[in-house]
Amino acid sequence: MGKAKSLKDKLYGAAVMKMSFRLRGDEESPAFKFVYPGVLRDLDLEDAAVEKYIEENRESVERAARGSTPAQGPRG
């Protein structure tokens, strides 16, 4: 079994996924509406926490969502 993810890692993953849809203008797409709630449920997260994480880390989240490698460093 893999190592448990920290809350920050979970938020980062959900934020990058949401931002990738947002940057394409696909937040209203059936794919997003099907996948995102499942991600929140599986990671035991609330959308408000993901939005707050996006606000606080917008540059790195957008960079990752666009496919650029974020600077490596401790995330949690």
Side-chain angles (χ1 to χ4, degrees), residues 16-69:
V16 169
M17 191 208 89
K18 186 171 189 176
M19 183 59 70
S20 68
F21 278 90
R22 183 172 290 169
L23 291 171
R24 291 191 312 260
D26 282 346
E27 282 185 278
E28 295 301 316
S29 73
F32 179 78
K33 290 183 174 189
F34 178 77
V35 173
Y36 185 64
V39 168
L40 293 178
R41 182 184 59 248
D42 291 350
L43 297 178
D44 195 25
L45 296 173
E46 298 289 329
D47 182 57
V50 175
E51 282 297 327
K52 183 176 184 214
Y53 186 88
I54 289 171
E55 285 177 30
E56 294 171 353
N57 302 277
R58 182 168 300 276
E59 187 177 317
S60 65
V61 170
E62 281 191 19
R63 188 170 41 248
R66 291 181 194 281
S68 302
T69 305

